[in-house]
Amino acid sequence: MAHVTQNKINIPMLDIKAQHEPIKEEIKQALKDILDSGQFILGPNVRSLEQEVAAYHHASYAAGLASGTDALYLCLKALDIKQGDEVITTPFTFIATAEAITYVGAKPVFVDIDNSTLNINASKIEEKITPRTRAIIVVHIFGQPADMDEIMSLARKYDLRVLEDCAQAFGARYKDQMVGSIGDAGCFSFYPSKNLGAYGDGGMMITNNAEVNEKVRLLRNHGTVAPYRHSFIGYNSRLDEIQAAVLRIKLRYIDEYNRKRSEIARIYTSALHPAVQCPAELPDRTHVYHQYTLRSPLRDKISSVLKDNNVSSVVYYPVPLHLQEAFEDLGYKKGDLPESEAAAETVLSLPVYPELSPEKAEFIADTALKALKT
Ligand SMILES: *Cc1c(COP(=O)(O)O)cnc(C)c1O
């Protein structure tokens, strides 16, 4: 009979419908107001969301954009990163981080990661700095803040710009600062599966630099300075009112969402440590667990036993960027960035979302442990 009960369990990586359920009336009302207003692009909801996100981060400015990828791209443009420049970043991230670098004609330079945080290894950055290096894109991967003090001090020493890719880290803190507010600009994605997710594509950049803010706002809207007056060639990268309204509602719950994610993480870590390598919990920063990513040489076995029990798990990321076919031209080969390559072979992300019950998290942890024992 236990077998029959188990078969009913079906645990996805995330459950967007479950997140919608308790806020659906608020969302319906907000959508109705927008439909009645007839204003769909860059309206009052976008303006209010920008103010609220800037205030949440204690940052001076925020600009709503079409996606996280665009946020990175437009910020690089606003910082005047261009052809001939080099931009240092991590190979252990979603491809968009490095794509944005190539969009402006610059060259991504990959620096290996730290084995315990999976973030860029700050102590390996300096050896990759050349006279062409102009910027560093730091990624707070899976919601774990990177070593910002070390990175900012290198940036000051070599006069480099710093972009924070916060696509997976909305609400994470580094010491007494919010991630995204530490470098020259912070870039966010509101893709539905992110820890702050819209009901479609969306993105945002935050900054304390008035010039960057001004430039990004013009870039997102065809360089329009006054109606049908364009001071330079821009893009169409605007956030729409429906996404902004959804995000304004979810923003009120983001700290609760993140807290629930870290409760799930605590359940996993207390059950799984030291049988697998659990995510590092560092005293000076808050991980928001966009993903709960363990490491084990037996991760394929864990994944298949979870699957047998109808529990999802995913390998983020199976191939580091320096070994992707898309970046073949950069000339990297296997063995160049061994920590990233080792991570790609041992990581496994378990389901983590605010609506996942502690009982289910315990079941997942127990199932993973059983996989290691058989
Ligand atoms: C999702 C993601 C992006 C891209 O965001 P989009 O909104 O999908 O364009 C960039 N960087 C990282 C680390 C991401 O996870």
Side-chain angles (χ1 to χ4, degrees):
M1 286 317 277
H3 182 70
V4 173
T5 328
Q6 267 190 17
N7 273 347
K8 284 191 201 151
I9 289 179
N10 192 347
I11 306 175
M13 284 302 282
L14 81 168
D15 190 343
I16 292 171
K17 282 195 274 185
Q19 182 154 101
H20 177 64
E21 188 58 31
I23 56 174
K24 69 179 180 193
E25 292 310 320
E26 284 178 274
I27 302 257
K28 265 189 206 157
Q29 185 57 49
L31 296 189
K32 181 180 179 301
D33 292 346
I34 292 167
L35 299 185
D36 290 344
S37 81
Q39 191 169 3
F40 298 115
I41 303 274
L42 294 185
N45 280 290
V46 172
R47 276 195 297 279
S48 298
L49 178 70
E50 288 171 345
Q51 285 163 6
E52 289 157 8
V53 169
Y56 179 88
H57 289 91
H58 310 289
S60 308
Y61 311 100
L65 301 166
S67 70
T69 307
D70 276 10
L72 292 163
Y73 173 41
L74 299 188
C75 283
L76 286 169
K77 288 214 68 116
L79 293 168
D80 198 33
I81 310 298
K82 51 186 185 295
Q83 180 91 42
D85 294 339
E86 292 176 2
V87 178
I88 287 173
T89 195
T90 169
F92 198 69
T93 177
F94 182 59
I95 191 167
T97 312
E99 275 179 322
I101 299 169
T102 65
Y103 293 164
V104 298
K107 180 176 150 190
V109 173
F110 297 115
V111 167
D112 211 356
I113 59 169
D114 178 277
N115 167 63
S116 73
T117 62
L118 301 172
N119 278 321
I120 194 166
N121 186 332
S123 71
K124 290 187 176 162
I125 292 176
E126 196 161 18
E127 65 201 55
K128 296 284 183 79
I129 294 175
T130 75
R132 287 171 181 262
T133 309
R134 292 283 320 283
I136 302 171
I137 302 186
V138 182
V139 182
H140 305 295
I141 200 72
F142 304 143
Q144 171 81 281
D147 293 333
M148 292 310 294
D149 280 354
E150 291 81 352
I151 289 161
M152 294 310 291
S153 100
L154 280 172
R156 279 188 291 274
K157 183 169 168 192
Y158 292 95
D159 190 26
L160 308 176
R161 307 283 76 76
V162 174
L163 272 187
E164 292 177 71
D165 181 340
C166 307
Q168 303 185 4
F170 198 106
R173 276 193 303 279
Y174 177 83
K175 300 192 173 168
D176 55 357
Q177 284 173 290
M178 303 302 295
V179 304
S181 69
I182 306 167
D184 293 272
C187 298
F188 295 86
S189 165
F190 302 129
Y191 185 78
S193 68
K194 305 294 182 176
N195 66 320
L196 179 60
Y199 289 175
D201 274 307
M204 190 163 277
M205 78 95 205
I206 64 171
T207 184
N208 292 314
N209 181 323
E211 251 174 80
V212 169
N213 174 54
E214 201 50 42
K215 191 82 194 279
V216 168
R217 300 180 91 80
L218 290 172
L219 283 168
R220 76 174 172 184
N221 196 23
H222 305 288
T224 307
V225 282
Y228 304 102
R229 308 274 167 168
H230 311 278
S231 57
F232 49 79
I233 302 290
Y235 304 87
N236 171 356
S237 180
R238 298 169 300 221
L239 184 63
D240 70 72
E241 283 289 290
I242 289 179
Q243 302 315 328
V246 167
L247 289 163
R248 289 185 68 203
I249 292 165
K250 286 202 178 182
L251 182 61
R252 301 208 291 270
Y253 302 98
I254 186 66
D255 290 340
E256 186 186 326
Y257 294 157
N258 284 340
R259 188 174 42 72
K260 287 185 172 159
R261 286 173 181 277
S262 57
E263 280 165 19
I264 306 285
R266 203 168 311 128
I267 291 171
Y268 285 155
T269 296
S270 60
L272 295 173
H273 173 81
V276 302
Q277 182 184 327
C278 295
E281 280 270 359
L282 302 172
D284 59 356
R285 57 198 90 175
T286 38
H287 193 323
V288 292
Y289 292 101
H290 173 64
Q291 296 296 343
Y292 183 95
T293 305
L294 59 78
R295 293 185 59 177
S296 166
L298 297 175
R299 66 103 190 267
D300 291 335
K301 177 128 187 268
I302 298 172
S303 174
S304 94
V305 172
L306 288 173
K307 185 159 181 273
D308 291 343
N309 286 276
N310 299 317
V311 176
S312 305
S313 61
V314 177
V315 173
Y316 297 121
Y317 296 94
V319 181
L321 297 187
H322 69 288
L323 300 179
Q324 292 281 355
E325 193 184 347
F327 289 117
E328 217 170 46
D329 290 357
L330 296 173
Y332 288 90
K333 57 184 188 317
K334 214 168 163 64
D336 284 346
L337 301 169
E339 293 293 352
S340 308
E341 293 164 29
E345 280 164 19
T346 53
V347 286
L348 186 69
S349 297
L350 302 181
V352 57
Y353 48 92
E355 301 75 22
L356 183 66
S357 69
E359 295 72 29
K360 283 186 176 159
E362 272 155 28
F363 170 76
I364 294 168
D366 286 349
T367 308
L369 275 181
K370 271 184 213 139
L372 291 168
K373 281 176 192 147
T374 53

